[in-house]
Amino acid sequence: MESALQFFFTYKEAIFIIALSIFLGIEVISNVPAVLHTPLMSGANAISGVIIIGGIILVGHTDLSTFSLNLVLGILALIFGTLNVVGGFAVTDRMLEMFKKKKK
Amino acid sequence: MDKVLGELNGAVYTVGSTLLELSYLLAALLFVYGLKLLSHPETARRGNLWAAGGMVLAMLTTLLLHKNADGGGIPLANVWVILAAIGVGTVAGWIISRRVKMTAMPQLVSLFNASGGAASALVALLEYPNAMEGDINSILVTVLGLIIGTVAFSGSMIAYGKLDGKVGDVMKPFMTYFNLALLVGLIVLAGYLVVSPNPPVQMLWAIYLITALSLLYGVTFVLPIGGADMPVVISLLNALTGVAAAMAGFIYGNQAMILGGILVGAAGMILTILMCKAMNRSLLNVIIGAFGGGGASVQGEEGNIKEITLSDAAVLLSYSHNVVVIPGYGLAVAQAQHIAHELDTLLEGKGVQVRYAIHPVAGRMPGHMNVLLAEADVPYEKLVEMDSINPDMPNVDVAIVIGANDVVNPAAHHDPGSPIYGMPIIEASQAKNVIVMKRGMGKGYAGIENHLFFEDKTRMLFGNAKDTLQKLVTEIKNF
C-alpha cells in the first residue's frame, strides 16, 4: 500500500497527464459519425507518428564520426516515423477531399 | 537562445529550452483541436491540417532547439542526416498516399500503422542502454514501448498481408494456448527486466529476446483473426501504436509525445469498442477468436435457391419506389462502387428513391463503405446508418445486397447456436423483395449459412459484383 502511494506521488504529474489525456481522447472522439470512422482512424494514426520527435532527438545526438548500427537503426526509425506522419496526413486529406467534393 | 533564464530543481534552463517546451504545448493543443475538428464532417479536413501543422511545428523546434543533458544542441551534420531521412520518408509517404487505390485503403492504414509501430520500437530499443540503472520507471516505459511498438508493427504487417490477400487466416486450436503462453512469457520476462538490479547494458540479451518474442506475438495474435473481425483489429493496432509513442514520450519526458500518443490510444480504443458493439462481441472474444471454427449451427433446413434473370431484375427495380442498397466487402473486392453509383443515378432518373444502408462493420475497417462510396461520388445524405434504416425496411420495395453476407444474416436474431447470434443486422429480410448479388454460394467470412438466401422473397444474381451491376445497368437502360 505504502509503495503504491509512493509510486503515485513520485509520478503524479505523469499520472495526471495520462488520466486527463484518456478522458480528453474519449470526449473528443465520442459521437463521431460513421462516415468519418476511416478518416478519423487514419488521421489519429498520423498523430501517433509523433514518435518522430524521439527519432530526431535520437539521431540528433548520435555520434556521426564512427559508423554504428545505432545510427542506421536511428535513421530507419526516422524514415518509418516520417512515412507514418506524411503518408497518414496526406491520405486522410485525400479521403476528406472526396467527402467535400460531392457536397456541392 | 542560450541565455539562462533561471534554475529549477538544480538545473538551469535557457530561453531556447523554454521556447521548445512552449512549442510542445502548442503542438499538443493542435493535436487535440485537430482531432476535435476531425470528428465533424464539415470541419474534418481543416482538423487534419491543424494536426499536421502541430506535427511540423514540433519537428522544427526539436531540430532547432533540442539540447542533450550536457547542453549541446544538435550538430549541423546531424541536422543534415535527419533532414535526409525525413526527406526519404516524406517522398515515400507522399507517393504511396497519392497512388493507392481507395479500395486498398485498409491495407494502407495498416501499413502506415506498422511503420509507426516500428519507429516506436526502434526508438525504445536504442534508448534502452541509456535507461537509468535502478530507475524502475525509466526501464518500465522503455520496455513497454518496445513490446507494444513491436507487436503493433508485426501485427499490422500481418493485417496488411491479410487485407491484401497475401496472407490467409490460420486458425489452429492450439494457437489460443500458444498465444497465451507467449504473452505470459513476455510479461514475466519484462517484469524480470524491470526489477533486475543489473545495469541495462548487462541485460541486452533479455531486451533482444523480448523484441523477438514481441515480433512473434504480433504475428500469432493477428494470424487467426478472421476477415470479418478486421475492423476491430485494425482499430486496436492503431491504439497500440499511439500507446507505444506515448511510452517513448515518457523516455524523453516529452509532453507532446505523451499527450499525442495517449490521445490516439484513447481514440483507437473507442473505435475498437464501437466495432465490438456493432458485432455484439467482447474484445476478448475477438482476440481469442471463437469465430469460424464453431460451425455447429443448424444446417438442415436449407431449402431452395431461386435465381433471377437480369431482365426480371431490371423490371423489378424500374417499377419500384423505394430501393435500398446494402453493400459489403464483396463490393470493395470487385471495385464496384462506381457502377453501383451509376445504377442509383439511373434509377433515381426513373423516380425511384435509392439509399445505401451501411452496417458499422461492413468491409474491413471502420467506415470502409463510406470511403468507397464517397470515392464514387455518392452523396453522403444517401448513406444511412443501420439504426436509422431498419425501422423503414418494411416499406422498402427492393433491398439489393451487394457482396454482403453476415451483416444481413437473420440467424443473428433467430439462431442462438449461431456464432453471430445477437449481432445487430440490417433487416434486409423485412423488405418486400431481396436481390442478392454474390460470387457463389460460398459462406460469409463467419462461415455460417445465411437463411436470407433461401427465403421466398429472395432472388440471387450470381457473379462478380462489378460485372453483374454493369449488365444490370445496361439492361435497365435498354428497358
Side-chain angles (χ1 to χ4, degrees):
Chain A
M1 180 65 191
E2 214 165 272
S3 60
L5 288 177
Q6 277 170 353
F7 183 86
F8 171 73
F9 194 80
T10 318
Y11 302 114
K12 57 185 182 308
E13 273 114 7
I15 294 170
F16 263 101
I17 291 191
I18 295 180
L20 291 178
S21 309
I22 293 175
F23 189 71
L24 195 64
I26 294 173
E27 275 305 300
V28 166
I29 302 302
S30 46
N31 300 323
V32 53
V35 207
L36 287 175
H37 279 164
T38 298
L40 183 79
M41 195 172 65
S42 117
N45 186 15
I47 293 179
S48 69
V50 72
I51 182 66
I52 192 172
I53 306 297
I56 293 177
I57 296 174
L58 195 68
V59 176
H61 300 293
T62 302
D63 183 11
L64 292 185
S65 57
T66 50
F67 179 85
S68 63
L69 183 63
N70 279 14
L71 181 64
V72 177
L73 292 179
I75 290 174
L76 215 56
L78 264 179
I79 295 178
F80 280 141
T82 319
L83 191 68
N84 190 190
V85 169
V86 176
F89 283 125
V91 88
T92 310
D93 190 60
R94 195 175 140 205
M95 269 188 269
L96 292 169
E97 194 181 4
M98 295 177 335
F99 286 133
K100 205 103 194 174
K101 194 170 54 184
K102 49 185 184 34
K103 281 208 65 217
K104 287 169 200 161
Chain B
M1 284 294 157
D2 291 332
K3 183 170 180 255
V4 173
L5 280 179
E7 200 179 311
L8 188 71
N9 298 332
V12 293
Y13 58 97
T14 61
V15 174
S17 52
T18 310
L19 285 181
L20 183 60
E21 292 302 326
L22 264 175
S23 77
Y24 287 153
L25 174 66
L26 191 57
L29 289 176
L30 285 174
F31 292 159
V32 178
Y33 185 58
L35 218 45
K36 177 79 198 161
L37 293 186
L38 252 175
S39 47
H40 297 282
E42 307 295 318
T43 54
R45 203 170 170 201
R46 256 188 300 145
N48 184 51
L49 293 178
W50 279 116
M55 192 68 76
V56 172
L57 173 74
M59 285 163 69
L60 276 179
T61 53
T62 306
L63 203 54
L64 293 173
L65 297 171
H66 191 268
K67 302 266 190 276
N68 61 12
D70 307 328
I74 299 181
L76 195 62
N78 294 55
V79 171
W80 285 116
V81 172
I82 292 168
L83 288 180
I86 290 179
V88 172
T90 305
V91 172
W94 186 263
I95 292 177
I96 295 174
S97 67
R98 290 289 122 177
R99 292 236 175 118
V100 71
K101 285 203 187 96
M102 278 299 148
T103 40
M105 200 50 74
Q107 291 93 303
L108 188 70
V109 171
S110 295
L111 194 64
F112 286 153
N113 198 47
S115 110
S120 295
L122 283 172
V123 167
L125 190 63
L126 293 175
E127 283 295 342
Y128 176 71
N130 306 331
M132 271 169 287
E133 186 183 335
D135 180 359
I136 289 184
N137 185 51
S138 104
I139 298 176
L140 180 68
V141 291
T142 314
V143 172
L144 277 179
L146 178 66
I147 294 178
I148 298 172
T150 311
V151 170
F153 164 69
S154 60
S156 298
M157 284 312 288
I158 296 298
Y160 164 77
K162 285 185 151 200
L163 292 164
D164 215 35
K166 294 187 179 109
V167 180
D169 296 347
V170 180
M171 183 55 200
K172 299 265 160 49
F174 67 84
M175 278 184 87
T176 312
Y177 303 103
F178 180 76
N179 283 348
L180 206 61
L182 201 55
L183 191 61
V184 170
L186 257 175
I187 292 171
V188 169
L189 195 58
Y192 169 66
L193 197 62
V194 170
V195 298
S196 160
N198 296 333
V201 191
Q202 283 177 25
M203 301 295 285
L204 286 177
W205 63 270
I207 212 77
Y208 295 141
L209 189 57
I210 284 183
T211 313
L213 289 180
S214 306
L215 276 174
L216 183 63
Y217 182 70
V219 172
T220 56
F221 153 62
V222 179
L223 260 188
I225 294 176
D229 291 341
M230 260 348 197
V232 180
V233 179
I234 293 186
S235 325
L236 185 64
L237 291 169
N238 218 2
L240 288 183
T241 313
V243 176
M247 290 302 140
F250 282 114
I251 299 179
Y252 295 111
N254 184 312
Q255 321 289 2
M257 288 171 76
I258 299 174
L259 188 121
I262 299 281
L263 212 55
V264 176
M269 238 13 248
I270 292 196
L271 266 186
T272 310
I273 292 166
L274 264 173
M275 294 300 117
C276 282
K277 260 192 199 151
M279 299 167 60
N280 190 38
R281 298 172 61 202
S282 72
L283 183 56
L284 196 68
N285 185 267
V286 173
I287 294 172
I288 292 178
F291 237 51
S297 159
V298 194
Q299 294 277 337
E301 33 159 336
E302 290 201 352
N304 292 320
I305 292 284
K306 292 160 288 285
E307 293 196 45
I308 188 171
T309 60
L310 283 165
S311 52
D312 285 348
V315 173
L316 179 62
L317 287 170
S318 302
Y319 284 118
S320 302
H321 296 292
N322 192 342
V323 169
V324 166
V325 178
I326 304 166
Y329 185 55
L331 179 100
V333 171
Q335 307 207 14
Q337 66 273 32
H338 295 281
I339 188 76
H341 182 44
E342 206 178 323
L343 175 71
D344 87 59
T345 22
L346 193 61
L347 289 174
E348 297 245 300
K350 291 177 182 284
V352 184
Q353 188 201 11
V354 183
R355 286 171 298 172
Y356 291 80
I358 314 287
H359 192 280
V361 292
R364 289 295 175 265
M365 67 177 168
H368 193 178
M369 291 301 128
N370 301 88
V371 175
L372 279 187
L373 293 169
E375 192 210 3
D377 284 337
V378 177
Y380 69 55
E381 299 78 49
K382 281 192 178 184
L383 309 183
V384 189
E385 291 184 30
M386 175 174 65
D387 294 335
S388 325
I389 198 94
N390 273 346
D392 198 34
M393 279 316 274
N395 302 323
V396 170
D397 297 313
V398 186
I400 314 177
V401 179
I402 307 179
N405 190 345
D406 299 327
V407 298
V408 291
N409 191 344
H413 290 321
H414 309 311
D415 181 2
S418 168
I420 60 166
Y421 183 67
M423 170 171 141
I425 56 164
I426 294 176
E427 308 285 357
S429 57
Q430 302 278 315
K432 290 169 195 153
N433 297 282
V434 181
I435 296 179
V436 177
M437 293 188 188
K438 233 174 150 312
R439 269 170 304 178
M441 265 321 285
K443 294 166 184 173
Y445 268 89
I448 330 156
E449 286 297 348
N450 193 336
H451 295 287
L452 177 69
F453 303 157
F454 304 106
E455 283 193 19
D456 279 339
K457 58 181 156 194
T458 304
R459 295 289 179 273
M460 311 294 288
L461 265 177
F462 288 114
N464 169 293
K466 195 177 184 178
D467 299 341
T468 314
L469 278 169
Q470 187 70 61
K471 287 180 204 150
L472 188 59
V473 165
T474 321
E475 199 69 40
I476 295 176
K477 272 184 188 155
N478 297 336
F479 171 65

